[in-house]
Amino acid sequence: MKTQVQAPDVTLAPIVDALHMTYAELGAKVTALTHGTVSLPPVVFVVQRDKRAWGHITTRETWATPYQAPDEDYAYTPWAISMGLGTVTKYHGFYEIMVSAENLARGGRDVFGTVAHEVAHAINLVRNNGLVVDVDSNGRHNLKFKQTAEYFFGLTIEEYAKGHWAGWTKTTVGTECARTWATSISRIDEAIAVASGYDRETGRTATGGGFTFGGGSEGAKGRDKNGLKAVCSCGSIIRTSRRALDKGITCGECEAPFIYVG
């Protein structure tokens, strides 16, 4: 069984922070293009293993944080306030956006595409009081989703396959889109490198620490004679030795380091 070991100073927090910052940047774009008439709803990002999807957004607020608000029945009554009756506990709601751990192995560009894809859904969840329905109960994405994702973020949206039940869900971050959102993509790449234990100064992967993305607990297997699998930002995959990875291998296409993924 393959065991994942986390070094004391390695955490997924940089990735979650990078995803929230990307969400804020996408939200600023939405506000600008709609002249302030549409604002993205509050969200919580979750990173978890899920081999079925690169990501998803909930269709309702599934997280909440409490706050104290004036009680309409007692708010302006001095004696009630002195007895602690002047406030009531209410809750701020948050939607959830999940990004799968397997997705992180694809690199910042594709992860950005996933986040922007889910934010396109978020726009339609709040636009016109939720009357813009871009996906049906079976998960089929329609042309309303395609139009939103392409207009706001420059994504390329295609049918998953002709006649496939998923509809217009195939998401690509093209060259121009990647150029527009280069800062966000770079930030996500950096966060993935940090969480994986990759040290850019030494070109080494943290010994005995760091997360790997895309693997999982499986039954015992024979020795893998093909070497360790590593992925770069553009999605190129290599298999090599631990020694070679520790020395640092850079992709000649995207110039990003190859990160061990299992």
Side-chain angles (χ1 to χ4, degrees):
M1 178 181 293
K2 182 166 60 178
T3 302
Q4 304 285 345
V5 181
Q6 180 185 355
D9 58 345
V10 177
T11 171
L12 284 175
I15 294 176
V16 175
D17 288 344
L19 297 178
H20 275 287
M21 292 178 72
T22 299
Y23 188 78
E25 290 165 345
L26 293 168
K29 181 73 169 181
V30 171
T31 300
L33 288 178
T34 62
H35 304 288
T37 61
V38 176
S39 296
L40 294 183
V43 301
V44 170
F45 275 93
V46 173
V47 176
Q48 66 183 42
R49 291 199 178 281
D50 190 334
K51 295 182 178 180
R52 299 171 300 174
W54 297 131
H56 73 70
I57 184 171
T58 57
T59 57
R60 58 186 178 85
E61 297 171 339
T62 55
W63 293 75
T65 183
Y67 68 97
Q68 295 299 308
D71 188 323
E72 295 181 359
D73 292 330
Y74 300 106
Y76 303 105
T77 307
W79 65 265
I81 295 176
S82 66
M83 296 176 63
L85 300 176
T87 61
V88 64
T89 301
K90 294 187 177 181
Y91 295 88
H92 290 296
F94 298 81
Y95 290 85
E96 175 186 294
I97 294 181
M98 184 279 289
V99 174
S100 72
E102 289 81 357
N103 194 358
L104 300 178
R106 301 195 300 158
R109 184 165 173 169
D110 285 316
V111 172
F112 171 82
T114 297
V115 174
H117 176 120
E118 303 308 332
V119 173
H121 285 307
I123 293 171
N124 290 332
L125 282 171
V126 298
R127 190 162 56 171
N128 296 331
N129 295 317
L131 295 178
V132 180
V133 179
D134 61 10
V135 61
D136 66 22
S137 59
N138 295 316
R140 181 177 179 80
H141 293 53
N142 58 36
L143 287 173
K144 291 180 181 178
F145 169 76
K146 171 182 169 68
Q147 292 163 359
T148 300
E150 292 184 340
Y151 172 72
F152 282 98
F153 308 129
L155 297 171
T156 299
I157 306 297
E158 303 170 282
E159 282 189 283
Y160 185 84
K162 191 66 175 179
H164 192 275
W165 65 266
W168 297 87
T169 188
K170 183 180 178 182
T171 302
T172 304
V173 178
T175 302
E176 186 60 34
C177 180
R179 186 178 297 115
T180 299
W181 299 100
T183 299
S184 297
I185 292 171
S186 178
R187 184 187 300 113
I188 296 171
D189 270 327
E190 180 68 26
I192 292 172
V194 170
S196 69
Y198 183 84
D199 189 328
R200 292 188 182 277
E201 292 186 4
T202 64
R204 294 176 180 272
T205 301
T207 303
F211 290 98
T212 59
F213 307 114
S217 298
E218 301 173 347
K221 296 181 179 179
R223 181 177 171 223
D224 183 4
K225 298 180 180 179
N226 293 321
L228 302 178
K229 181 180 178 182
V231 179
C232 68
S233 294
C234 67
S236 298
I237 299 173
I238 63 170
R239 288 188 179 275
T240 187
S241 66
R242 167 60 70 185
R243 179 176 296 181
L245 279 178
D246 284 347
K247 289 182 178 179
I249 304 175
T250 301
C251 175
E253 184 70 22
C254 66
E255 301 182 349
F258 280 92
I259 304 298
Y260 169 60
V261 295

